[in-house]
Amino acid sequence: MDKLYDVIIIGSGVVGNAIAREMSRYNLKIGVLEKELDVCNETSARNSGVLHAGFNNKPGTLMAKFCVEGNQGFDQVAKELGVPFKRCGKLVVGFSEEDKEKLIAMKEQGEKNGVKGLEIIGKDKIKEIEPNIDGEFAMWSKTTGILNPFLLTIALAENAAANGAEYYFGNEVIDIKRVDDIYNIKTEKDTYKTRWVVNAAGLYSDRVSKMLGIDDYTIHPCRGEYFILDEKVGSKLSLPAYPVPNPKEGGLGIHLTPTIDGNVFIGPSSEYIDERDDYSATQKIMDLLIKDGGRIFPHIRREDFIRNFAGIRPKLASKEEGGYHDFVIEMRDEAPNVL
């Protein structure tokens, strides 16, 4: 392809499309390369659909900064894009004194990050907010919300495309070379030329980094499995309900989340796997979801299960390390004009 782009974004998940939309506000020639045949086929499609408040993130990190900023500004984003969104709040439920100590620490961490409206509440208040949730006490987060991640990701892409960004699907990047200050990005279909490259490739971002000469990162795929409950259960749950998380696992625990469409999700589990595209559902994990989810939400019945699915987290923290690493947003000398 002879066309020269100012910027090519690799990856059209929610991050890649948000970047494409933001850059399309300017007079730039923008291309987006995606190995799948449409946007929102991997991580952005396979999650709980929760807009987090920002209390789970370590103060001072990019994760904390952008989670809080993103939450506070999302009403405007949803309005601009026409994306359904509900700021319903969330309960993080505990049962033991150890849980209570963790909730108090979580509240303090959230307040350091700038999260507003966090409150430790007792059993009576839990039942007042959501009668169908069980727990001895909880942290009540008023600013948490739920949204449809498919519609958000698609709306970002459509807005970027309407502003002139050009999308190329079924174009998996296989090689990148820089010649005379221009990047030649080779895919299975063509070669694309660009002055700047943005790596937003999610589960494959480490491989793209290596093509660009940055060898520091390894993505560790971590699978989470879900059950979807029938809409008739949706009336019994008005907001997300989470257990107190285990920081070592680096997940938020098996939780219950209502969807914008009226279903309920149970999940996700947290299991490191070898393959980045293994979306299998396993009987062992399905049984675990029922057991752990039923502790908080006792209205789980097998006849209400209508579907299961899995998502894969692109984690920089290995199984041995546990927990999270921060987001990586950087420019490096060994890869000029790359974000």
Side-chain angles (χ1 to χ4, degrees), residues 37-112:
L37 299 179
D38 202 348
V39 303
C40 200
N41 270 260
E42 295 183 312
T43 309
S44 300
R46 297 167 172 270
N47 57 75
S48 301
V50 173
L51 181 81
H52 291 292
F55 51 77
N56 281 302
N57 309 122
K58 183 180 176 182
T61 61
L62 291 174
M63 290 183 82
K65 173 181 168 64
F66 292 132
C67 191
V68 174
E69 284 185 12
N71 179 289
Q72 293 175 353
F74 196 77
D75 297 87
Q76 180 64 29
V77 173
K79 182 180 177 182
E80 289 174 1
L81 295 173
V83 174
F85 166 60
K86 183 179 180 183
R87 202 174 281 278
C88 53
K90 164 178 157 180
L91 291 169
V92 185
V93 179
F95 294 88
S96 66
E97 280 305 310
E98 183 183 359
D99 285 346
K100 193 169 189 177
E101 289 174 10
K102 288 180 179 178
L103 288 175
I104 292 169
M106 191 185 298
K107 177 176 179 287
E108 291 172 353
Q109 177 171 270
E111 289 168 346
K112 282 181 185 174

Side-chain angles (χ1 to χ4, degrees), residues 105-142:
M106 191 185 298
K107 177 176 179 287
E108 291 172 353
Q109 177 171 270
E111 289 168 346
K112 282 181 185 174
N113 292 341
V115 180
K116 297 179 174 66
L118 298 176
E119 185 182 348
I120 304 295
I121 61 175
K123 197 169 188 173
D124 291 345
K125 183 73 172 177
I126 293 174
K127 291 298 183 184
E128 181 184 322
I129 293 169
E130 177 45 76
N132 293 309
I133 292 298
D134 287 346
E136 294 301 314
F137 32 77
M139 186 177 73
W140 167 228
S141 167
K142 296 176 184 176

Side-chain angles (χ1 to χ4, degrees), residues 224-330:
E225 298 178 35
Y226 290 86
F227 267 132
I228 305 176
L229 302 185
D230 191 274
E231 287 181 11
K232 62 187 177 185
V233 185
S235 61
K236 295 185 171 74
L237 189 68
S238 61
L239 74 166
Y242 283 59
V244 175
N246 181 341
K248 175 66 178 172
E249 292 178 358
L252 300 181
I254 292 170
H255 48 267
L256 289 304
T257 308
T259 71
I260 283 288
D261 300 303
N263 300 97
V264 173
F265 288 169
I266 309 176
S269 54
S270 182
E271 176 190 16
Y272 281 89
I273 58 175
D274 296 326
E275 300 298 325
R276 302 176 195 219
D277 57 358
D278 182 0
Y279 293 104
S280 304
T282 61
Q283 186 63 53
K284 173 186 167 187
I285 297 298
M286 295 291 105
D287 292 340
L288 176 68
L289 294 182
I290 297 166
K291 175 176 171 288
D292 282 13
R295 191 180 183 204
I296 297 173
F297 184 65
H299 301 276
I300 298 172
R301 299 179 302 175
R302 286 185 182 268
E303 61 261 37
D304 295 328
F305 300 162
I306 60 170
R307 190 77 178 167
N308 55 0
F309 72 98
I312 300 176
R313 308 168 181 91
K315 295 185 67 168
L316 284 169
S318 68
K319 182 178 181 179
E320 291 70 32
E321 292 171 286
Y324 293 103
H325 282 191
D326 195 12
F327 290 157
V328 175
I329 304 172
E330 65 178 0

Side-chain angles (χ1 to χ4, degrees), residues 84-210:
F85 166 60
K86 183 179 180 183
R87 202 174 281 278
C88 53
K90 164 178 157 180
L91 291 169
V92 185
V93 179
F95 294 88
S96 66
E97 280 305 310
E98 183 183 359
D99 285 346
K100 193 169 189 177
E101 289 174 10
K102 288 180 179 178
L103 288 175
I104 292 169
M106 191 185 298
K107 177 176 179 287
E108 291 172 353
Q109 177 171 270
E111 289 168 346
K112 282 181 185 174
N113 292 341
V115 180
K116 297 179 174 66
L118 298 176
E119 185 182 348
I120 304 295
I121 61 175
K123 197 169 188 173
D124 291 345
K125 183 73 172 177
I126 293 174
K127 291 298 183 184
E128 181 184 322
I129 293 169
E130 177 45 76
N132 293 309
I133 292 298
D134 287 346
E136 294 301 314
F137 32 77
M139 186 177 73
W140 167 228
S141 167
K142 296 176 184 176
T143 61
T144 301
I146 56 174
L147 56 103
N148 184 316
F150 296 97
L151 295 182
L152 172 62
T153 308
I154 292 166
L156 289 166
E158 288 180 341
N159 194 174
N163 288 344
E166 298 177 359
Y167 281 73
Y168 298 95
F169 297 111
N171 269 268
E172 182 172 356
V173 174
I174 56 177
D175 188 45
I176 304 175
K177 292 283 191 293
R178 192 166 191 251
V179 182
D180 297 329
D181 297 336
I182 299 298
Y183 283 97
N184 293 269
I185 304 177
K186 185 179 180 182
T187 74
E188 294 171 331
K189 291 184 177 179
D190 212 332
T191 298
Y192 300 83
K193 298 178 182 294
T194 182
R195 294 185 174 91
W196 282 78
V197 179
V198 176
N199 177 9
L203 285 161
Y204 297 87
S205 54
D206 56 341
R207 295 183 184 177
V208 171
S209 287
K210 286 179 174 63

